[in-house]
Amino acid sequence: MTSSSKTPDNIPPTDSAWAWNLYWHADCLHSCVPVSNPTATKALTDRWSRFFLSLPDDATIMDLGTGNGAVISIAAEINNNRSRNFSLHGVDAADIDPAIYVKTASKALSLITFHPRTRMEALPFSDGSITAVCGQYALEYSEVEKSIAEIIRVLVSGGCFQFLVHAQDSALISRSRTQLAQAETILHSNLMDAFRIALPLITQAENAPSGDAAKFQIAKDAFDKFNHIFTKLQTGFQKDEDQSVPSNFLEAMLQLYQSRRRFGEIAVMRMLDDMFMRLSAQAQRLRDLINAALDEDGINNLAKTLEQKGALVNAPQKARSGKSEVLLGWWIDGRTSH
């Protein structure tokens, strides 16, 4: 495979790139469909395994929106177990580096060449150099027409593709809407400001002579304001079926307050900033996810665009999992016609 002259580093990051950079800089292989949901994970792994097993032994495979390599690592496992000679590439617009951050799949990831800060709309591969293109919750995040043109350009004649894209009516999107509303409620509250005001006053009161009633009253008033906001938020989320976002965040904030003497005021303030930055990043990723999801018209338009750019496309299928047939997204696959 010959790399083109395009330079990914020269392509400006998207507005939300920082949020995804933060997400992938962690020991996390999977996203969206968590490892804790074994039925969904197995359903997707089985489908991807069939796709990779159908490819020739010397296939060059490109995974779009690879993240930390959850999908392409399946191909890497097949490469090892079936003595294949795959050439494996993972492309992502984020500043990914799975070899550094992911410790749970280091053997598989070592077989993959990752291309960070690389947009689907400008792939650094020569024409007709890729045997197969794949992507899980990836293509729909891009400027689709430009990305599809690039996919068709780099695929060999008869080269195949398979994508799993978000469906608007999936359980994941429903949960994401709830989580986004929760995150935005916390971010738009006065919780952080109240904490910032209260902490130094409480520190001063704790260090003041026992007879300094004025400092204690000022600290108590500040803490009461913080506690009022905290309790109001906590109560407001009680009816939500999924309370993981507020529960984790508020519990972490409570622990931060309780550890103020151990860490000191300056360190606690820095940790508070980090917490809010991470919650802001999560909110941005949830917005991206919700905005990327496709309804039936959207998936049909995606198929039409692929056909217009030179692909033979199979009818899109809903990806489901388990006895209750939980909707995971849309499958869309096919091959180039040139």
Side-chain angles (χ1 to χ4, degrees):
M1 184 196 68
T2 305
S3 175
S4 76
S5 60
K6 296 173 185 174
T7 306
D9 286 349
N10 290 340
I11 301 171
T14 58
D15 291 342
S16 57
W18 67 277
W20 292 100
N21 292 347
L22 186 66
Y23 183 70
W24 294 121
H25 288 184
D27 190 359
C28 170
L29 184 65
H30 293 265
S31 69
C32 293
V33 179
V35 177
S36 58
N37 185 341
T39 303
T41 302
K42 184 178 186 306
L44 298 184
T45 300
D46 289 348
R47 174 81 181 230
W48 286 118
S49 294
R50 291 195 296 273
F51 177 72
F52 295 131
L53 285 167
S54 71
L55 302 176
D57 287 352
D58 60 350
T60 298
I61 307 170
M62 177 176 61
D63 180 28
L64 297 178
T66 190
N68 276 343
V71 170
I72 198 69
S73 65
I74 299 171
E77 294 289 351
I78 291 172
N79 202 59
N80 275 336
N81 298 337
R82 302 296 182 98
S83 299
R84 299 295 186 91
N85 191 31
F86 291 158
S87 176
L88 305 173
H89 298 266
V91 169
D92 204 293
D95 187 23
I96 58 168
D97 197 345
I100 289 180
Y101 293 102
V102 182
K103 308 304 179 186
T104 53
S106 55
K107 184 177 180 181
L109 294 175
S110 68
L111 301 175
I112 304 161
T113 300
F114 288 100
H115 304 264
R117 304 177 303 282
T118 301
R119 304 284 297 279
M120 301 180 215
E121 299 88 344
L123 295 169
F125 302 96
S126 57
D127 296 0
S129 60
I130 305 294
T131 312
V133 177
C134 58
Q136 179 167 294
Y137 305 138
L139 178 60
E140 65 273 31
Y141 286 87
S142 70
E143 297 178 57
V144 172
E145 286 209 12
K146 292 181 180 179
S147 297
I148 288 175
E150 282 290 88
I151 290 165
I152 301 303
R153 178 184 68 78
V154 302
L155 276 170
V156 298
S157 178
C160 56
F161 56 85
Q162 177 171 278
F163 302 107
L164 175 65
V165 303
H166 286 301
Q168 279 190 359
D169 53 345
S170 69
L172 175 61
I173 298 300
S174 176
R175 185 185 71 184
S176 296
R177 290 193 180 104
T178 297
Q179 291 181 336
L180 177 58
Q182 292 167 340
E184 289 182 332
T185 298
I186 295 171
L187 290 167
H188 295 156
S189 73
N190 292 322
L191 186 65
M192 183 175 182
D193 290 340
F195 190 99
R196 282 186 168 280
I197 292 169
L199 185 62
L201 295 174
I202 291 169
T203 301
Q204 290 171 21
E206 289 172 339
N207 293 331
S210 58
D212 195 339
K215 275 191 171 62
F216 280 94
Q217 188 59 50
I218 293 171
K220 181 181 182 303
D221 291 344
F223 176 80
D224 287 346
K225 287 181 181 178
F226 162 73
N227 191 53
H228 174 74
I229 298 169
F230 184 96
T231 304
K232 186 177 179 180
L233 285 169
Q234 206 170 38
T235 304
F237 298 125
Q238 285 180 350
K239 293 183 180 180
D240 292 347
E241 184 176 347
D242 181 356
Q243 299 178 30
S244 57
V245 170
S247 177
N248 292 339
F249 184 87
L250 295 176
E251 177 62 27
M253 176 162 266
L254 182 60
Q255 290 178 359
L256 192 60
Y257 172 76
Q258 292 171 341
S259 63
R260 64 191 183 281
R261 292 185 181 180
R262 176 186 170 192
F263 294 114
E265 184 181 322
I266 294 175
V268 167
M269 289 297 193
R270 286 175 179 166
M271 287 186 274
L272 178 69
D273 288 339
D274 184 70
M275 282 175 54
F276 268 79
M277 183 265 292
R278 290 181 181 278
L279 185 62
S280 297
Q282 184 174 9
Q284 183 60 58
R285 293 192 300 269
L286 288 166
R287 287 186 205 102
D288 290 348
L289 189 156
I290 293 165
N291 291 335
L294 303 180
D295 58 12
E296 192 160 352
D297 287 341
I299 193 68
N300 288 333
N301 287 335
L302 181 60
K304 185 182 295 185
T305 302
L306 281 160
E307 290 172 346
Q308 290 171 344
K309 299 295 184 182
L312 301 173
V313 185
N314 297 319
Q317 298 176 325
K318 286 192 171 183
R320 297 187 180 275
S321 167
K323 293 181 180 179
S324 58
E325 294 198 326
V326 174
L327 181 62
L328 303 177
W330 293 95
W331 288 112
I332 184 164
D333 57 13
R335 60 184 177 83
T336 59
S337 57
H338 59 269

